[in-house]
Amino acid sequence: MFLSSRKGQSLIEILIAVAIFTTVVGAVTIAFSGGQISSVDAEKAINAGEYAVEGREAVRSISNRSWNELTDGVYGLKFVNGEWTFSGASDARGDFTRTVSIASLDSNTKIATTTIAWTSGPFRNQETEIVEQLMRWSNPVQGVCKIGPLAGDWAHPQSIGSGDIGAGNSGTDVVVKLPYVYVSGTAATGAKHDIFVFDVSNPIQPNMVRSLDIGSGGINSLFLKGNYLYAASPNDSKELIIFDISNPLNINQAGFYNLPGSADAISVYVFSDTATIGRTESATNELTFLNVSNPVSPQIISEISTGGNIYDFTASGDRLYFTSQQSDPYIWVYDISNPLNPSFVTNYDIPGTTEDISLFIQESSAGGGTLNILDGNIQNEMIVIGATTTLSSGWYVRDRLGVLGDPNDIVCVEGELAFLATTNSNKEFLILNITDPDNITEYAYLNFPQSGSGIDFVDNKVFMSVRSNDSLRIITAGP
């Protein structure tokens, strides 16, 4: 009986061991197979990314060759006789299919979306894309109201994402070239970084991909043109700094210029191959024009005294407009039809006590060289000035609106709304209805913890910098 019982027990143990072995082998096989699939997926994702980057560079080359080739639509790409062209509705390489979608934001701005699609297995369709904003930089006009599209309910704006530039930093300005946003900052210590690059492909979760320290002082203002980012800095050894952003993941300083004296540079604007720098009134000459055709080695064209801080520039056609705070008159106009020889046209003294810090141009539907200048001052006002592109004798104030805070920056969308970054402690982001220039009204607002400092509008989104470390704010319309 004892022997019989022992044999039965041994048989049961053997069966259990076989079952366990089979389960373990099966699990190892599944894990090994899953590992192979993950490895293949990762390799395909890398290859798809490289294919997308090639597409983005191809579209850039087409844009540089001829803006008129960027007709709205969906295309494939072909490399023929040493250059890229659009061809058909898609192109393919191995398992990957590539499409390029071109869509207009306005006459000088396009959105190019390069999409790569592939299949990793049954019912496992995959896709990746790169979105980029393209600009027609041969046209110097930058300051006029942007042409939409405005979509959704802007009477109920919503903040959808934010980006942090680090403790101790304060955001000063923001410019956009999708899918990247560039934010500048200042800090109490020179060891802090001063320029920050965010990938906003997912605007709900901006991802900082690069930052740089320019030394002491930080950066007050930014202007983006082509593959270069221009910065106005309080740094006494390089008031103008030029960054190469051809690779946004690895931006680097391309050149700089040390202006005479120690007055801070507080604003910057670029047209054609000319940069203009605005400085504080302690400078002998608050306005400087520089030739930046060679970004590595800028050269001074001319310097002008205006008697006041130059906080902002804008342009319309062949005219450059800027504010001169604490001087009388307050708005100045220069002819920039010859970029290497800008010449004075006129200036305008706004009635009443105004110290102006921001402006933007709204072209009038009346035509004939008429326009409206949107002007913000430290008396907490927004002023609309009816103007012409010639002498100021016919200029007049169309409306004034108290906004209970300094309008530090302005961007308008053609015919409808103006977006403001303000110091109003309850309405740091403020929207005005400017449909009727003789009766501008408050339209909507959002409250943020700190003052707004810079603002831009692209793809139905507002990108705003605020004076805190949580500096980048992304805003869009309500549903």
Side-chain angles (χ1 to χ4, degrees):
M1 291 292 295
F2 175 79
L3 290 174
S4 176
S5 174
R6 181 62 183 165
K7 287 180 180 178
Q9 188 176 7
S10 298
L11 178 60
I12 291 171
E13 290 172 347
I14 292 170
L15 291 174
I16 292 172
V18 169
I20 292 172
F21 175 76
T22 303
T23 302
V24 171
V25 170
V28 170
T29 302
I30 292 170
F32 178 71
S33 174
Q36 284 185 312
I37 292 172
S38 297
S39 176
V40 170
D41 282 352
E43 183 179 356
K44 283 197 170 185
I46 291 171
N47 292 337
E50 293 173 347
Y51 196 25
V53 169
E54 179 191 76
R56 179 191 66 189
E57 296 304 314
V59 175
R60 284 180 178 178
S61 71
I62 293 171
S63 171
N64 291 337
R65 180 178 68 238
S66 173
W67 180 261
N68 293 332
E69 292 184 45
L70 299 180
T71 305
D72 288 6
V74 179
Y75 307 96
L77 291 164
K78 182 169 62 175
F79 193 70
V80 180
N81 298 326
E83 63 181 13
W84 287 99
T85 61
F86 291 126
S87 176
S90 66
D91 63 278
R93 179 183 298 169
D95 297 331
F96 304 105
T97 299
R98 178 170 61 192
T99 57
V100 175
S101 170
I102 304 295
S104 296
L105 285 182
D106 56 48
S107 59
N108 295 314
T109 313
K110 304 273 187 178
I111 295 295
T113 305
T114 303
T115 303
I116 310 298
W118 72 98
T119 302
S120 292
F123 311 111
R124 298 182 63 235
N125 296 326
Q126 309 244 12
E127 189 175 277
T128 188
E129 66 180 26
I130 295 177
V131 180
E132 183 168 44
Q133 175 184 329
L134 300 170
M135 302 291 292
R136 176 162 57 172
W137 295 110
S138 58
N139 186 342
V141 178
Q142 168 106 2
V144 295
C145 286
K146 301 193 175 187
I147 301 173
L150 281 173
D153 183 8
W154 277 103
H156 298 90
Q158 53 186 343
S159 178
I160 59 172
S162 64
D164 198 308
I165 61 174
N169 288 314
S170 176
T172 56
D173 203 4
V174 59
V175 291
V176 181
K177 185 179 181 182
L178 292 178
Y180 298 100
V181 172
Y182 301 86
V183 177
S184 59
T186 57
T189 62
K192 299 286 186 180
H193 283 200
D194 311 286
I195 185 73
F196 309 87
V197 185
F198 289 88
D199 183 337
V200 294
S201 300
N202 178 2
I204 297 174
Q205 293 182 314
N207 177 34
M208 187 192 293
V209 295
R210 177 75 165 151
S211 64
L212 283 178
D213 177 16
I214 61 98
S216 63
I219 293 171
N220 284 324
S221 180
L222 296 172
F223 191 90
L224 192 155
K225 182 176 184 292
N227 287 326
Y228 292 97
L229 183 65
Y230 300 81
S233 174
N235 188 307
D236 284 339
S237 63
K238 45 184 177 183
E239 287 82 2
L240 170 65
I241 307 171
I242 304 174
F243 298 97
D244 182 342
I245 59 168
S246 54
N247 178 2
L249 302 181
N250 188 33
I251 69 168
N252 58 82
Q253 182 177 298
F256 67 91
Y257 197 90
N258 181 15
L259 293 172
S262 60
D264 293 350
I266 52 178
S267 57
V268 59
Y269 196 91
V270 181
F271 52 92
S272 188
D273 288 328
T274 300
T276 180
I277 290 287
R279 304 178 75 184
T280 58
E281 64 173 342
S282 60
T284 303
N285 297 294
E286 294 88 353
L287 177 66
T288 303
F289 292 102
L290 300 102
N291 184 340
V292 292
S293 56
N294 178 6
V296 177
S297 181
Q299 301 295 320
I300 284 184
I301 297 172
S302 59
E303 298 178 280
I304 298 99
S305 174
T306 66
N309 302 326
I310 298 178
Y311 276 109
D312 203 9
F313 295 94
T314 191
S316 177
D318 58 3
R319 294 291 188 266
L320 176 73
Y321 300 78
F322 61 88
T323 62
S324 183
Q325 184 199 27
Q326 297 167 332
S327 71
D328 190 4
Y330 301 105
I331 298 178
W332 295 57
V333 186
Y334 268 71
D335 183 337
I336 55 173
S337 55
N338 180 354
L340 296 180
N341 187 29
S343 58
F344 173 78
V345 175
T346 190
N347 50 32
Y348 180 65
D349 180 11
I350 301 172
T353 301
T354 68
E355 295 185 36
D356 305 281
I357 55 175
S358 58
L359 77 167
F360 216 85
I361 298 295
Q362 179 193 41
E363 290 189 336
S364 171
S365 58
T370 61
L371 46 82
N372 297 311
I373 300 174
L374 308 178
D375 175 270
N377 62 41
I378 65 172
Q379 283 71 38
N380 304 159
E381 284 186 312
M382 274 298 302
I383 302 175
V384 181
I385 300 166
T388 68
T389 56
T390 54
L391 298 180
S392 62
S393 56
W395 292 21
Y396 66 102
V397 173
R398 302 190 65 167
D399 198 17
R400 310 176 87 120
L401 177 69
V403 294
L404 301 179
D406 301 347
N408 284 329
D409 203 6
I410 310 165
V411 63
C412 61
V413 180
E414 187 175 72
E416 295 186 44
L417 303 177
F419 301 102
L420 278 61
T422 85
T423 63
N424 184 320
S425 59
N426 295 307
K427 303 174 182 180
E428 288 81 5
F429 170 63
L430 180 62
I431 306 178
L432 302 181
N433 186 332
I434 57 172
T435 305
D436 179 0
D438 295 315
N439 184 32
I440 58 174
T441 58
E442 183 177 302
Y443 190 74
Y445 64 88
L446 287 175
N447 177 216
F448 291 116
Q450 298 292 336
S451 298
S453 53
I455 202 161
D456 203 354
F457 176 87
V458 178
D459 195 25
N460 202 47
K461 298 179 187 67
V462 171
F463 300 84
M464 191 169 87
S465 59
V466 299
R467 292 194 176 278
S468 70
N469 59 289
D470 193 18
S471 177
L472 173 62
R473 302 298 176 124
I474 303 177
I475 304 159
T476 193

